[in-house]
Amino acid sequence: MTAIRADGLVKTYGSVRALDYLSVEVEDGEFFGLLGPNGAGKTTFISILVGLARATDGIAEVFGHDVEDDYQRARDRIGLAPQEFNVDRFFPIHEVLEHKAGYHGIPPAEAERRADEALRTVGIYDKRETRFDWLSGGMKRRFLLARALVTDPDLLILDEPTAGVDVELRRELWELVQRLNDDGTTVLLTTHYIEEAERLCDRVAIMDSGRKVEVATPDELRARGEDTLVVTLANDTIGVPELDAPGVHGVTLDGRTLSVTTDDAGRVAPDVIRALDDAGHAIADLDVRRASLEDVFVGMTRTAEAEVSQ
Amino acid sequence: MSIQDALGDRFGVGFRSLLKREVLRFVRRPRNTFLPPAVTNVLYFAVFGLILGDRIDAIQGFDYILFILPGLVVLGAVSNAFENASFSIFHGRWNEYIHETLTSPLAYSSQVFAYVAAAALRGIVVGFIIVAVGLVFVPFAIEGGSVPVRRPLYLVAFMLTITTLFAAFGVVGGLWARDFDYLTVLNQFILRPLTFFGGVFYSLDILSPVYRTVSLLNPMVYMVNGVRYGFLGYTDVNADLSLAVLVGLTLAVLAVDVALFRRGYGIIE
Ligand SMILES: Nc1ncnc2c1ncn2[C@@H]1O[C@H](COP(=O)(O)OP(=O)(O)OP(=O)(O)O)[C@@H](O)[C@H]1O
Ligand SMILES: [Mg+2]
């Protein structure tokens, strides 16, 4: 069973082509990432799935239900934590959750139970009588997740759930979502944090300008990008030290900061340290900068362009 | 409950949840929803009913205060029904929480009916408030006077129809508005003039034939007269025909509402 099937999706806003024949499939139970720069069309794609935007052309299905012709069944399966705050600010948050559960056909007593459970799950139960506006930024994010969970969805869609969220909360959210996925919930996640995608996703689609550039596992993805090993030397040095360890692509020196670009920083680090040590350099500090989405992404589009021009 | 039951039932749990939310939204802020019409109508009854009414002859055999009461009920009921639906939908679009229902499995028709039913209910409640204010003032104008209800079934039928009609208009207004001003414009420049020239304060019989004919194009005339028929048993126009036309109009506007929701007019990109 496919959880999401999009085929040739096009969405135009005036002259802007937000989606340009996007085709993608997400399997039931999969943890699927959607990566891409600002304006790539990630939110637009999600909006079409949940019914907040209408495709100009193409087909989108959720668990086999067409998102337009069979909208009720499609929407019944989805829980969405959107990128923007779109919450009813008139009611205390537990009531907002009860209403949301109600729209999905869950009777009042059960809705109340689920609302409390969802608030406990995301750790803001003590704020249940508060209105959305009076939550802190991180709590607002948590609440959006609670609202997505209160209907017990088969497909959980998270549009940048960790934007502007502190490290601790981010880790908590990751664990929570991972647990849900382990229990069988399909997850569609968009994010700008590549470690987030690496850590959580079974597969990742890279999008740009409304198109799918690539679908790959995080391992494959990581192999595309270059890590940078940043070594701070204890003493001044003249000239770039000789480093011919395998897997090293380039070395630059700026003052005492030595930047080594490589496929896999973890693997070459011992060799680099040994080589520097052998050459008589003392090391003050060592840092690994992982390939960023931008790096990987730039690498991929460059390859794509090269293929086209050949 | 199976998914089939939940989806097949247009007035099921989902509908009732949205209806409840919409009702709570006005019940919980009575100072914004019920106090203003109460105050406004105290003024109307005091000025038109008592002070002026004293100097105005009975119209069609009714004391002036009794003659204007049905019109004031209509004015309050329909403007509140309209305001509730239009504001609620516009506000939901403005703060985007209308997404909470749009992304749910609620049928478009269920969403529309819930907004309309809640708004119509608010109109009815305001109607009762105005009658209550009237009950306070009428005895001052007429010795031992009260508010009669000569044709209760007509009264109920007209009140349900016109509050539903204006709630349904409110849905269109709420979807169409781009800003809060738009709603004010609708209320001040369309609703209010139509009501004032709809025979709230006078009988069509006092008008010259030309103005009388023009007035017959104003839907409010039929609403005011229908409700007046319910209270006083008197109407300038045929009550059955009015009711039939208003019911037809209401069904048509409801159909437009559902079509607009289905198309996503004003709510989806
Ligand atoms: N309602 C709209 N009206 C006009 N243009 C829009 C609208 N929504 C999105 N767009 C345009 O569509 C394109 C895709 O936007 P979208 O929000 O889907 O990007 P995204 O991948 O989610 O970006 P981000 O990472 O910044 O969230 C952008 O060029 C954007 O300006
Ligand atoms: Mg986005």
Side-chain angles (χ1 to χ4, degrees):
Chain A
M1 182 94 206
T2 17
I4 302 174
R5 189 173 81 84
D7 195 5
L9 271 191
V10 175
K11 175 66 189 178
T12 54
Y13 293 108
S15 61
V16 177
R17 224 172 165 66
L19 292 182
D20 192 11
Y21 295 100
L22 177 73
S23 298
V24 72
E25 284 199 17
V26 176
E27 294 304 318
D28 191 6
E30 205 173 7
F31 202 130
F32 195 88
L34 215 47
L35 302 185
N38 293 132
K42 306 180 293 294
T43 301
T44 302
F45 175 51
I46 289 171
S47 299
I48 288 173
L49 295 180
V50 299
L52 294 178
R54 194 147 296 170
T56 312
D57 195 9
I59 295 173
E61 289 175 357
V62 172
F63 293 107
H65 304 297
D66 188 278
V67 298
E68 279 185 35
D69 297 340
D70 203 3
Y71 67 97
Q72 292 182 268
R73 283 196 176 76
R75 290 174 201 171
D76 195 48
R77 311 285 294 267
I78 304 177
L80 166 69
Q83 184 172 11
E84 307 286 345
F85 299 140
N86 58 357
V87 179
D88 192 335
R89 289 129 201 261
F90 182 76
F91 293 99
I93 56 174
H94 79 92
E95 283 190 65
V96 176
L97 294 184
E98 287 163 22
H99 295 154
K100 181 65 178 164
Y103 309 148
H104 283 247
I106 299 162
E110 170 72 2
E112 197 179 326
R113 195 191 62 72
R114 291 221 202 162
D116 285 351
E117 185 184 290
L119 289 171
R120 284 209 184 83
T121 304
V122 302
I124 53 172
Y125 181 77
D126 55 328
K127 296 281 180 185
R128 64 196 297 279
E129 295 295 343
T130 309
R131 292 183 194 192
F132 183 75
D133 274 337
W134 299 333
L135 297 177
S136 77
M139 290 176 190
K140 286 186 168 128
R141 283 275 158 221
R142 289 175 196 239
F143 176 76
L144 292 186
L145 186 59
R147 195 182 59 180
L149 295 179
V150 77
T151 58
D152 195 12
D154 300 316
L155 170 60
L156 181 62
I157 302 182
L158 307 168
D159 198 354
E160 302 199 28
T162 53
V165 155
D166 70 36
V167 180
E168 194 188 340
L169 173 54
R170 192 175 302 166
R171 191 147 306 144
E172 273 179 42
L173 291 180
W174 286 354
E175 275 167 23
L176 171 59
V177 176
Q178 186 67 67
R179 214 163 50 232
L180 291 164
N181 180 246
D182 290 344
D183 293 343
T185 309
T186 308
V187 182
L188 177 67
L189 169 84
T190 80
T191 178
H192 285 127
Y193 301 110
I194 200 162
E195 351 110 51
E196 191 160 291
E198 272 182 20
R199 190 176 159 144
L200 297 169
C201 297
D202 301 320
R203 283 192 307 151
V204 166
I206 306 263
M207 284 182 68
D208 184 31
S209 312
R211 277 180 295 250
K212 181 182 71 187
V213 177
E214 181 88 53
V215 177
T217 67
D219 282 342
E220 290 164 353
L221 197 68
R222 194 170 2 195
R224 303 290 174 90
E226 285 188 335
D227 294 347
T228 307
L229 190 63
V230 183
V231 185
T232 310
L233 301 174
N235 303 301
D236 290 328
T237 177
I238 302 162
V240 178
E242 194 74 13
L243 287 177
D244 51 5
V248 171
H249 295 178
V251 183
T252 57
L253 183 69
D254 179 18
R256 289 184 187 174
T257 309
L258 189 69
S259 302
V260 182
T261 51
T262 162
D263 287 336
D264 184 345
R267 199 159 44 76
V268 303
D271 294 340
V272 170
I273 293 167
R274 200 172 306 116
L276 288 172
D277 199 39
D278 288 349
H281 296 288
I283 295 173
D285 193 16
L286 188 71
D287 194 14
V288 174
R289 290 207 194 113
R290 278 314 190 65
S292 71
L293 168 60
E294 261 61 37
D295 296 339
V296 175
F297 176 72
V298 167
M300 279 189 180
T301 42
R302 208 180 281 144
T303 325
E305 274 167 24
E307 277 166 10
V308 168
S309 61
Q310 265 173 14
Chain B
M1 184 172 53
S2 80
I3 179 91
Q4 252 73 19
D5 296 337
L7 298 178
D9 191 357
R10 182 158 296 160
F11 299 105
V13 174
F15 165 81
R16 290 200 296 273
S17 300
L18 181 53
L19 177 63
K20 178 177 154 198
R21 185 196 87 182
E22 284 300 293
V23 170
L24 288 177
R25 203 184 290 285
F26 64 75
V27 167
R28 288 206 187 148
R29 41 185 197 103
R31 267 184 305 171
N32 298 305
T33 53
F34 297 136
L35 190 60
V39 171
T40 312
N41 281 279
V42 164
L43 299 178
Y44 279 138
F45 279 112
V47 174
F48 294 107
L50 291 187
I51 301 172
L52 288 175
D54 225 20
R55 294 158 184 277
I56 298 176
D57 287 339
I59 297 184
Q60 309 294 350
F62 297 101
D63 284 287
Y64 191 57
I65 192 166
L66 279 185
F67 185 80
I68 62 171
L69 181 137
L72 293 177
V73 169
V74 171
L75 176 59
V78 301
S79 57
N80 274 272
F82 180 87
E83 208 257 3
N84 200 81
S86 60
F87 182 81
S88 189
I89 286 184
F90 177 72
H91 192 248
R93 289 169 58 216
W94 188 260
N95 285 324
E96 299 194 325
Y97 64 80
I98 200 169
H99 293 180
E100 289 179 349
T101 42
L102 290 178
T103 61
S104 81
L106 269 177
Y108 296 121
S109 52
S110 303
Q111 298 179 40
V112 167
F113 294 155
Y115 280 110
V116 168
L121 179 64
R122 175 167 153 197
I124 301 277
V125 173
V126 168
F128 274 106
I129 290 173
I130 296 170
V131 171
V133 174
L135 282 171
V136 173
F137 279 88
V138 168
F140 288 101
I142 313 161
E143 271 289 318
S146 186
V147 178
V149 180
R150 298 261 157 76
R151 303 277 178 174
L153 283 182
Y154 277 93
L155 183 57
V156 170
F158 271 100
M159 285 304 288
L160 287 179
T161 306
I162 64 176
T163 49
T164 305
L165 174 61
F166 273 74
F169 275 133
V171 170
V172 179
L175 292 174
W176 165 77
R178 302 255 168 79
D179 208 332
F180 284 98
D181 310 346
Y182 283 56
L183 298 180
T184 320
V185 166
L186 288 176
N187 211 334
Q188 295 291 329
F189 296 102
I190 298 180
L191 234 153
R192 214 158 275 260
L194 281 180
T195 319
F196 272 76
F197 289 112
V200 173
F201 297 104
Y202 52 79
S203 165
L204 294 190
D205 282 352
I206 68 165
L207 298 177
S208 68
V210 175
Y211 285 116
R212 192 188 146 91
T213 310
V214 171
S215 291
L216 290 176
L217 295 174
N218 180 354
M220 206 69 73
V221 165
Y222 304 93
M223 298 163 49
V224 171
N225 274 283
V227 172
R228 186 173 288 139
Y229 187 58
F231 279 111
L232 308 180
Y234 170 80
T235 170
D236 289 336
V237 294
N238 183 317
D240 292 320
L241 186 61
S242 305
L243 187 59
V245 172
L246 288 171
V247 167
L249 187 58
T250 304
L251 294 176
V253 180
L254 282 173
V256 170
D257 289 350
V258 175
L260 290 178
F261 259 75
R262 187 174 299 282
R263 239 183 66 193
Y265 172 76
I267 34 183
I268 72 169
E269 314 285 349

